[in-house]
Amino acid sequence: MRRPSLASLLCTLTCLGALCAPGLGCEKRKDKDDQRPGESAPSAERPGARPGAEPPRVLRPEPPRPGRVYKDLDRDTFNRLAVRLNLPLFWAEDANGNGAVDPGEVRSLLFYPDFKSWADRGEFTLAFDQAYDLLLAARGQTGSDEAKGIAAAEARRRKLVTEELDQGKPTLVWNDLTSRSEEDRRLVRRMLKLASLIDGLYATQLGVSSLAGRVPADDPAGRSLLRRNWSPRCKGPRTEKEPECTAIPGMTEAPPVALYPVELQKQKDFCKVLEKHPDSKALMAPFVVVRQKEGKLVAVPYTEAFAAPMNAIAAELEAAAAEVKDPKEAALKTYLGAAAKAFRTGDWQVADEAWAKMNAQNSKWYLRVGPDETYWEPCSSKAGFHATFALINPGSLAWQQKLVPVRQDMEDALAKLIGAPYQARKVSFHLPDFIDIVLNAGDDRHPFGATIGQSLPNWGPVANEGRSRTVAMSNLYTDPDSGRVRREQADSLLAKESLAFFPDKPDFGLLNTILHEASHNFGPSHEYKVAGKKDTQVFGGSLATVLEELKAQTGAIWFLDFLRQRKLVDDEMVRKTYTDAFLWALGHISRGMFTDTGKPKPYSQLAAIQVGFLMEAGAISFDPKATSANGKDQGAFTLHLDKFPAVINRLMAQVGAIKGKGDKAAAEALVSRFVTGALVPQKLITERLLRHPKTSFVYGVDL
């Protein structure tokens, strides 16, 4: 039987209830939900206000052709093609091992243009049947094969876009909340609406909220890239430096962000210009944008620059607070109200105070919403809007019981190691809660990987007085696919004897994350000043970020020996967590040291510094002629774990002193030695790890 063309199938599936794509011969429907990011709120229950997202639609379930068996595609191919076609569809598992996708095995995804019902009452819908035909038609295509007569440059662009998407392996974060109370499910629905609004605001900050219409109508892969990457530009290790790799023909650079005047962003090193400006303290503050008024650069508060979307978010938070009736959730209710006020007034400190009082004992939920991290923008100074919504995992309580009694001892020990002028502070921050992610929105949702731990806030009295709240995301990277890939990667890079302490359970990664996030609260951090200047003023935004993350991750492995000496962890836990930290570092090294615009990648650079320092001191050796554990690859690392404590102690002392003294020259020397130096075999690491696509999380929830 002759199969319909891909364009014809796209038209058919689109016109079943979603927006019809212009140019495909479909009649475009318009109704009250026909909205774009940055306008009024999208459909009530499905986050979709993103770059690349059309208004959400729900298809009416209809039965497919009778008796059809869907076994033409393996699961990896099925999911990879669904990303290329920008379909909110995921094959979770082949539960019965029959090699065919069955109705109970598919999931509908959040954060896509449309929400479709793929199965109903144990049967596939017509929407799934049409989507499956799309997948079959796309099989084997490179992104340009189908386009007859297309210009060579456009064909190359589409091929690169496909290569970009294929560098991510879709990995599902799924939550079945159907057994929860009606009040709980109402809250989740509110959080889905909130996620849409946060997405729209973050897209506005990035300057990408109006770009969807510039992606060719017959290019679903381009729309998928724009949706996934928060940018028309490619971000995969193999394609991020390709100028032609873009969702929008001709857009070879990322659009200017909405934080600084466009003309200013055209200047080379404009961030350094701002850092040297007489009013740099005000202009580079985290919760303002920079505008040109009457020939002068001025700071404009977020609440003024983004008034409409922030007021909409405030209203949603107020509505959520009003619906919380459970007296056991009083802390959550208070935080929702305080966060709403902050979105109207810019008083983030009040929200931080309410948020810091939430914990695993007084709420079953975790929520953080607001502007926090700065890594995402060119100058690493402005806070990006995000939302994390999760369930508390009770497993964190055991670690809290171990670490709470010694947290002041941890600060005192680190201060003693660092030495003057740094002096130990009184610390009373929350030790990490384990949380199971339900959804990430805005700056929390990344094209590759995800934040696995976080300590917030970054500014203000809560941070400065050691009352921050720290979390570790306990349901990420725990799926069987991620575990299999990690073992294969370790086999390709480590000598066989170093696999004796391979971290074969999530516990070791969680401990690494817990101690990393806790270490943000120890030593010179947050609002610590040298000669009256904060770290961003001393080092510059990008280098300051690298140093803070280097301090935190070095603290994570330094504190392992501290805990072992107090018999809070055993030798096996320490050695396997060392190995986990090393594999984590290799993963970040494989992502490259700089973005396509030359901005430092903080985690990649800290990883190169750590691995290089350990290699230089003999705690890690690399033999280019040795055979790795898989028996195939030449060139392997050997971990001399007995040497780790002493070497890490020296690294921790050096990094702590750099931050404590504000020694910019010493910081730049570390970067020069290990990041841009030749000691760490970065190309070999990248080649081995990029044999596997990087994790790209997708999200779904059943209510």
Side-chain angles (χ1 to χ4, degrees):
M1 183 178 71
R2 182 180 176 185
R3 291 194 180 277
S5 71
L6 179 58
S8 173
L9 286 166
L10 278 166
C11 175
T12 302
L13 181 61
T14 301
C15 291
L16 281 171
L19 268 183
C20 300
L24 294 182
C26 301
E27 180 183 356
K28 184 175 179 181
R29 291 170 41 187
K30 279 183 174 285
D31 63 23
K32 63 184 177 64
D33 286 333
D34 193 1
Q35 300 153 344
R36 293 286 179 183
E39 297 178 356
S40 53
S43 170
E45 295 193 13
R46 299 288 168 181
R50 296 208 53 189
E54 290 96 3
R57 304 276 185 217
V58 179
L59 291 181
R60 177 173 62 86
E62 297 181 43
R65 66 194 75 171
R68 187 178 186 187
V69 177
Y70 303 90
K71 61 184 310 179
D72 308 89
L73 302 169
D74 64 80
R75 192 168 71 89
D76 283 348
T77 302
F78 180 103
N79 289 330
R80 183 174 68 254
L81 293 175
V83 173
R84 289 190 192 179
L85 294 172
N86 206 27
L87 292 172
L89 173 63
F90 188 85
W91 183 1
E93 60 177 339
D94 185 9
N96 56 15
N98 67 351
V101 57
D102 297 307
E105 298 171 354
V106 296
R107 303 287 183 265
S108 295
L109 302 179
L110 304 171
F111 308 115
Y112 273 73
D114 309 305
F115 173 73
K116 295 178 175 65
S117 178
W118 305 117
D120 183 55
R121 297 181 180 87
E123 300 289 339
F124 281 125
T125 63
L126 180 59
F128 178 83
D129 196 61
Q130 296 286 350
Y132 197 79
D133 281 341
L134 276 174
L135 298 176
L136 292 178
R139 180 173 49 179
Q141 293 180 1
T142 63
S144 60
D145 299 344
E146 184 198 43
K148 305 301 182 183
I150 197 169
E154 175 65 2
R156 172 170 166 73
R157 182 193 70 81
R158 295 191 183 207
K159 186 174 186 296
L160 286 169
V161 166
T162 299
E163 291 177 5
E164 162 74 11
L165 293 176
D166 286 355
Q167 289 175 75
K169 180 180 178 60
T171 303
L172 181 64
V173 178
W174 176 257
N175 284 271
D176 183 350
L177 303 177
T178 53
S179 62
R180 292 276 170 176
S181 69
E182 177 57 33
E183 181 174 321
D184 283 352
R185 286 182 284 125
R186 279 200 307 271
L187 176 66
V188 176
R189 292 186 185 100
R190 286 288 181 192
M191 294 302 102
L192 293 174
K193 295 178 186 178
L194 177 69
S196 288
L197 295 170
I198 289 293
D199 276 357
L201 177 51
Y202 183 56
T204 298
Q205 284 189 297
L206 284 166
V208 298
S209 59
S210 61
L211 296 181
R214 296 173 61 182
V215 180
D218 63 343
D219 184 15
R223 291 195 297 277
S224 190
L225 187 155
L226 186 61
R227 170 194 54 77
R228 189 194 73 175
N229 284 15
W230 291 107
S231 172
R233 298 289 302 135
C234 292
K235 297 185 177 182
R238 292 194 182 100
T239 47
E240 66 176 338
K241 291 182 172 61
E242 294 279 358
E244 300 93 341
C245 194
T246 174
I248 298 173
M251 184 170 280
T252 58
E253 297 181 355
V257 295
L259 306 173
Y260 310 99
V262 173
E263 289 301 315
L264 179 64
Q265 293 181 63
K266 293 178 181 178
Q267 296 183 29
K268 185 179 180 180
D269 296 329
F270 81 90
C271 297
K272 292 182 180 178
V273 172
L274 286 171
E275 288 167 4
K276 295 176 181 178
H277 193 280
D279 295 328
S280 64
K281 184 176 181 180
L283 295 174
M284 301 305 279
F287 308 127
V288 302
V289 301
V290 179
R291 294 287 183 260
Q292 187 93 29
K293 291 186 178 181
E294 298 178 357
K296 295 182 179 180
L297 296 177
V298 297
V300 177
Y302 277 1
T303 50
E304 180 180 335
F306 308 121
M310 290 183 70
N311 282 328
I313 291 167
E316 195 60 45
L317 288 166
E318 288 163 349
E323 291 179 356
V324 175
K325 308 296 184 184
D326 185 351
K328 294 180 180 179
E329 292 295 337
L332 172 64
K333 186 180 183 76
T334 300
Y335 173 60
L336 288 167
K341 181 179 179 182
F343 271 90
R344 294 193 189 280
T345 67
D347 191 351
W348 305 109
Q349 293 183 15
V350 171
D352 288 343
E353 292 288 352
W355 182 70
K357 292 175 182 175
M358 291 177 63
N359 55 54
Q361 286 80 25
N362 63 21
S363 179
K364 60 177 170 285
W365 300 104
Y366 174 88
L367 173 66
R368 176 72 181 183
V369 57
D372 278 307
E373 303 290 14
T374 63
Y375 314 145
W376 62 283
E377 63 98 355
C379 300
S380 296
S381 294
K382 307 300 181 185
F385 284 96
H386 72 116
T388 298
F389 181 60
L391 282 159
I392 294 291
N393 183 324
S396 58
L397 297 177
W399 277 110
Q400 290 176 9
Q401 290 167 3
K402 286 184 178 182
L403 296 178
V404 165
V406 298
R407 60 186 169 184
Q408 188 61 52
D409 293 341
M410 295 167 79
E411 164 68 8
D412 294 343
L414 183 57
K416 182 178 179 181
L417 177 71
I418 293 171
Y422 183 73
Q423 295 182 346
R425 300 172 290 114
K426 182 179 180 181
V427 293
S428 58
F429 61 91
H430 294 299
L431 279 159
D433 291 328
F434 290 178
I435 60 174
D436 291 334
I437 296 293
V438 175
L439 62 85
N440 283 321
D443 186 38
D444 280 339
R445 197 168 63 254
H446 312 302
F448 301 108
T451 299
I452 57 174
Q454 200 166 37
S455 184
L456 295 172
N458 291 321
W459 306 278
V462 171
N464 200 37
E465 295 167 12
R467 296 184 285 114
S468 297
R469 188 174 182 190
T470 304
V471 292
M473 291 64 169
S474 51
N475 64 332
L476 302 183
Y477 298 101
T478 58
D479 60 287
D481 289 344
S482 295
R484 174 182 54 80
V485 167
R486 198 172 198 226
R487 179 62 193 230
E488 290 176 4
Q489 291 175 334
D491 285 349
S492 74
L493 281 164
L494 289 175
K496 188 173 182 179
E497 58 267 31
S498 289
L499 286 175
F501 291 99
F502 176 78
D504 49 1
K505 296 178 182 178
D507 308 44
F508 311 107
L510 281 174
L511 179 56
N512 187 17
T513 302
I514 288 168
L515 293 177
H516 175 108
E517 296 307 325
S519 294
H520 276 303
N521 299 281
F522 296 128
S525 58
H526 304 306
E527 298 195 346
Y528 175 78
K529 296 179 180 179
V530 177
K533 295 182 178 180
K534 296 181 183 179
D535 60 352
T536 53
Q537 296 169 288
V538 174
F539 300 105
S542 295
L543 183 57
T545 300
V546 172
L547 283 173
E548 176 56 26
E549 293 301 331
L550 175 61
K551 183 208 73 175
Q553 183 56 21
T554 305
I557 50 179
W558 184 75
F559 279 121
L560 287 170
D561 195 54
F562 172 95
L563 297 176
R564 174 167 50 187
Q565 292 176 25
R566 285 155 181 78
K567 302 189 183 304
L568 295 174
V569 296
D570 59 22
D571 286 350
E572 181 186 26
M573 175 67 79
V574 171
R575 288 173 176 265
K576 287 190 174 182
T577 306
Y578 280 152
T579 307
D580 178 271
F582 174 70
L583 294 173
W584 176 91
L586 295 186
H588 281 283
I589 289 171
S590 74
R591 299 181 183 187
M593 299 294 115
F594 299 92
T595 68
D596 60 332
T597 60
K599 181 183 176 183
K601 293 183 178 180
Y603 292 109
S604 297
Q605 294 204 2
L606 84 83
I609 292 169
Q610 282 192 340
V611 171
F613 196 96
L614 288 161
M615 289 177 67
E616 192 176 71
I620 296 173
S621 58
F622 176 75
D623 184 349
K625 296 181 179 180
T627 301
S628 69
N630 64 14
K632 302 175 184 178
D633 289 302
Q634 190 175 48
F637 289 95
T638 300
L639 308 184
H640 308 286
L641 297 177
D642 57 322
K643 297 181 179 179
F644 268 48
V647 176
I648 293 166
N649 193 66
R650 295 205 300 274
L651 177 59
M652 186 75 255
Q654 188 170 336
V655 173
I658 288 172
K659 283 185 65 79
K661 296 176 181 178
D663 191 343
K664 186 175 182 179
E668 290 173 336
L670 279 180
V671 172
S672 176
R673 224 157 91 213
F674 301 121
V675 173
T676 57
L679 177 61
V680 181
Q682 295 181 23
K683 289 184 179 179
L684 180 141
I685 293 167
T686 300
E687 185 277 322
R688 302 267 173 95
L689 293 190
L690 293 191
R691 294 171 185 173
H692 297 84
K694 299 237 174 240
T695 298
S696 182
F697 285 110
V698 293
Y699 299 80
V701 61
D702 191 358
L703 292 173

